[in-house]
Amino acid sequence: TWRLVDFPGVTEPDGADVTLEVLRGGRIAGKAGCNRFMGGMTLSGEGLSLQPGGMTMMACPDDLMAFERAFIDRRAGVTQFDFDEAGQLVLLANGSPAAVFAP
């Protein structure tokens, strides 16, 4: 399980718990701040595509829901990944960091 440590340009509200789990069979799951999500992924070299899937629909405070929507929208634009010198997973969109996760 990877835990979000940086979401460039967006302040993470208190209580946001964003995780990403890479599962067998090209599947992903995790928590998007308030709700759990699942979906697919396609990995090719350094290329990465995260496909949407299902998501729970719990209501949460407005700031948490807005953060969650930003995370889900940004996740859809991921095209690559890398690992930084600290071993953190960096998801890239158009060559720029979209989200950084620590193990």
Side-chain angles (χ1 to χ4, degrees), residues 7 10-18 32-35 59-71:
F7 195 55
V10 179
T11 301
E12 187 173 343
D14 289 338
D17 182 25
V18 178
C34 174
N35 289 285
C60 295
D62 289 343
D63 62 339
L64 197 51
M65 294 300 291
F67 179 81
E68 179 175 272
R69 174 55 34 212
F71 173 74

Side-chain angles (χ1 to χ4, degrees), residues 48 74-81 91-98:
L48 175 66
R74 192 174 292 183
R75 186 188 75 175
V78 169
T79 57
Q80 293 178 288
F81 74 98
L91 301 182
L92 303 161
N94 298 319
S96 297

Side-chain angles (χ1 to χ4, degrees), residues 2-7 12 18-20 67 71 98-102:
W2 296 86
R3 192 161 304 285
L4 184 72
V5 293
D6 188 20
F7 195 55
E12 187 173 343
V18 178
T19 62
L20 176 66
F67 179 81
F71 173 74
V100 180
F101 291 85

Side-chain angles (χ1 to χ4, degrees), residues 16-102:
D17 182 25
V18 178
T19 62
L20 176 66
E21 300 168 50
V22 178
L23 308 172
R24 294 181 185 186
R27 306 292 300 158
I28 59 168
K31 190 169 179 193
C34 174
N35 289 285
R36 294 209 40 90
F37 68 88
M38 68 229 43
M41 71 173 208
T42 303
L43 186 62
S44 58
E46 289 182 7
L48 175 66
S49 172
L50 302 176
Q51 294 87 35
M55 190 165 176
T56 60
M57 299 299 289
M58 294 185 300
C60 295
D62 289 343
D63 62 339
L64 197 51
M65 294 300 291
F67 179 81
E68 179 175 272
R69 174 55 34 212
F71 173 74
I72 293 298
D73 290 348
R74 192 174 292 183
R75 186 188 75 175
V78 169
T79 57
Q80 293 178 288
F81 74 98
D82 199 359
F83 293 96
D84 67 13
E85 60 280 347
Q88 298 179 125
L89 172 64
V90 181
L91 301 182
L92 303 161
N94 298 319
S96 297
V100 180
F101 291 85

